[in-house]
Amino acid sequence: MKLIDKFFYSTWNPYTRKKVFKGETVLRRELERPSIEFNNTDSKRIVVSNFRFHNAIPSKERIYDGVLYQNDYYSQLKFNEEEVLFLADNYGLICKETNGSKTLSIPKEYYNEIGEKNIDDKPYINFKFLEDNDTNEYLIISFVRYPYGYPERAKDQKAPFLTYIHGIWEKPLLTDEIIEKIKKS
């Protein structure tokens, strides 16, 4: 399992649909509408946009999104207690107990960051599991929120969403059960 800590980032203008290159950045920063690019250990360029995963050679790459809301009722992605502890231990997420069951939560460092900006919003945890045609696997864990003041955000796809990239891992340490849950959600 290798952590990729630097990557290139671009965004897109929702009105013109044009890509705007922003430059190199590091993990644990909030980015607006990000598409990211990084090199894997084989120096192959991997591009992950909001909805697509591809590299320089079009082929059969697949991306699976698993969304874990802070209110577990809305989440299609559900982990059992053993999986929650595994993900918390290996990926720096917080394990919290609510009503006798363990769930994953966002690290306090991120809550502190958005709290300093006087943001009262509930981000959700996004698990992106990627497979490419060379049998490489990647895991991207991010926290996504819409800025306060966008009450119609679900209806308006042009409202900006902010993504905090928590981590990008090549050859992630995941159980087959966790991978299947992310793929099915």
Side-chain angles (χ1 to χ4, degrees):
M1 181 165 89
K2 179 184 183 254
L3 179 68
I4 296 168
D5 56 357
K6 290 183 181 178
F7 56 95
F8 292 95
Y9 142 66
S10 59
T11 188
W12 56 275
N13 182 320
Y15 301 101
T16 63
R17 303 298 251 174
K18 291 188 179 179
K19 189 174 178 178
V20 180
F21 185 71
K22 295 289 188 174
E24 188 175 37
T25 189
V26 294
L27 295 174
R28 296 182 173 82
R29 294 218 172 133
E30 224 173 33
L31 309 171
E32 187 175 315
R33 293 186 193 95
S35 292
I36 62 174
E37 298 181 24
F38 58 89
N39 290 329
N40 67 9
T41 52
D42 299 330
S43 298
K44 184 177 177 182
R45 173 75 65 174
I46 306 298
V47 179
V48 184
S49 73
N50 298 320
F51 305 103
R52 293 176 188 84
F53 165 55
H54 59 277
N55 60 32
I57 304 167
S59 55
K60 298 180 181 177
E61 294 84 4
R62 292 165 301 283
I63 181 168
Y64 303 95
D65 268 322
V67 175
L68 187 65
Y69 294 98
Q70 295 299 294
N71 182 343
D72 201 39
Y73 176 78
Y74 296 108
S75 294
Q76 291 181 341
L77 180 62
K78 301 202 187 280
F79 297 115
N80 64 35
E81 186 173 320
E82 185 179 307
E83 293 164 341
V84 166
L85 293 171
F86 177 85
L87 289 166
D89 288 344
N90 289 295
Y91 294 100
L93 298 170
I94 302 297
C95 174
K96 71 176 185 179
E97 191 161 336
T98 310
N99 299 330
S101 65
K102 292 186 179 353
T103 59
L104 288 171
S105 185
I106 293 169
K108 289 182 181 176
E109 66 188 34
Y110 179 60
Y111 271 125
N112 291 341
E113 181 180 317
I114 64 175
E116 289 171 7
K117 298 175 186 174
N118 294 321
I119 297 167
D120 183 24
D121 202 4
K122 300 283 187 227
Y124 61 84
I125 303 173
N126 182 261
F127 294 87
K128 283 190 189 299
F129 180 75
L130 305 95
E131 297 175 325
D132 70 15
N133 60 338
D134 296 329
T135 66
N136 292 323
E137 298 176 338
Y138 308 91
L139 177 67
I140 301 173
I141 298 177
S142 59
F143 314 135
V144 182
R145 70 179 181 85
Y146 289 86
Y148 188 71
Y150 286 92
E152 298 295 318
R153 61 186 179 230
K155 296 176 187 172
D156 182 5
Q157 294 298 314
K158 292 179 173 64
F161 60 87
L162 301 171
T163 303
Y164 179 91
I165 308 289
H166 178 67
I168 304 169
W169 292 271
E170 183 176 357
K171 298 180 180 154
L173 177 63
L174 293 171
T175 65
D176 292 338
E177 292 80 14
I178 290 174
I179 292 170
E180 273 307 304
K181 286 182 179 184
I182 293 171
K183 285 181 175 183
K184 288 182 178 179
S185 67

